[in-house]
Amino acid sequence: MAILNILHFPDSRLRTRAQEVDSVDDQVRTLVADMFQTMYQAPGIGLAATQVNVHRRVVVIDVSEHQDAPQVFINPEILSREGVEETDEGCLSVPGIYERVQRAERIRVRALDLEGNSFELDVDGLLAVCIQHEIDHLDGKLFVDYLSPLKRQRIRKKLEKQRRHGEDPAAGEPSHAERVI
Ligand code: ZN
């Protein structure tokens, strides 16, 4: 397994639309293992392949408290959406920034598992937010796209300044650590 490098906003590679996975083979399973290791180490609760510069439709998620409930979604698709929910979101690709974003409250999702079998799941709460956030990544979209252009510009400047000064932008935000997707 390997820790992969996570791309940060405003890296243009985060805008790439990921390709469908044709067959779930060992290469995909290795990618998934590496993505879990990278996500747990960050730490985060979700990671899309786009964020590690692999442009295939693969998402890993673990919303459990003790990092012991890994879930894999290959070629994920939202079949239906219900309700509206607004929560604070953070993102491993936009470190140290937390903003309120509106999402569907409940969704039905279809995806392939690690054996290539199709499954469907009804989800709500944090997992529903997380899946919607990660599918956005696969489509080249970031949570900051839901904010006003002015706010997005401020975030871009803040991150660029932190990078120039070599600061760790995620430092000093431990209370949000478990919600970074
Ligand atoms: Zn994210």
Side-chain angles (χ1 to χ4, degrees):
M1 292 205 287
I3 303 279
L4 308 169
N5 188 38
I6 297 175
L7 302 178
H8 287 165
F9 174 74
D11 194 311
S12 61
R13 291 171 290 182
L14 286 167
R15 299 307 188 178
T16 313
R17 196 185 145 80
Q19 301 288 311
E20 296 250 319
V21 172
D22 293 329
S23 76
V24 182
D25 54 17
D26 284 346
Q27 201 192 357
V28 172
R29 283 185 279 268
T30 301
L31 169 66
V32 166
D34 289 345
M35 284 172 65
F36 271 119
Q37 202 186 9
T38 304
M39 180 189 82
Y40 285 136
Q41 199 246 4
I45 58 170
L47 189 68
T50 307
Q51 292 176 274
V52 292
N53 200 28
V54 177
H55 301 288
R56 308 186 72 186
R57 302 188 80 80
V58 176
V59 163
V60 301
I61 292 175
D62 189 340
V63 293
S64 71
E65 236 178 274
H66 302 290
Q67 302 191 331
D68 56 3
Q71 288 179 285
V72 180
F73 299 87
I74 297 166
N75 298 341
E77 234 184 303
I78 295 174
L79 302 177
S80 63
R81 296 175 163 84
E82 251 184 83
V84 179
E85 185 176 41
E86 200 180 70
T87 54
D88 268 336
E89 290 188 26
C91 177
L92 293 174
S93 294
V94 194
I97 307 290
Y98 302 90
E99 296 286 348
R100 294 197 74 73
V101 176
Q102 260 189 16
R103 304 274 186 191
E105 193 179 3
R106 286 175 298 280
I107 57 168
R108 183 167 182 83
V109 61
R110 178 167 59 205
L112 301 178
D113 65 18
L114 272 185
E115 272 71 53
N117 299 315
S118 177
F119 66 94
E120 289 184 18
L121 215 56
D122 289 305
V123 296
D124 59 10
L126 182 56
L127 181 56
V129 169
C130 199
I131 290 171
Q132 291 172 81
H133 177 117
E134 301 308 339
I135 291 178
D136 273 356
H137 275 305
L138 300 181
D139 293 330
K141 198 166 178 179
L142 295 165
F143 85 100
V144 294
D145 298 348
Y146 294 99
L147 310 175
S148 70
L150 184 69
K151 216 165 196 180
R152 196 159 50 247
Q153 189 57 24
R154 276 200 205 122
I155 290 170
R156 178 197 284 255
K157 285 201 173 122
K158 189 176 171 192
L159 291 182
E160 279 166 356
K161 193 176 157 200
Q162 281 166 340
R163 244 192 308 278
R164 269 201 311 276
H165 293 226
E167 291 166 22
D168 177 4
E173 299 270 1
S175 61
H176 286 100
E178 74 279 11
R179 295 186 64 93
V180 185
I181 46 188

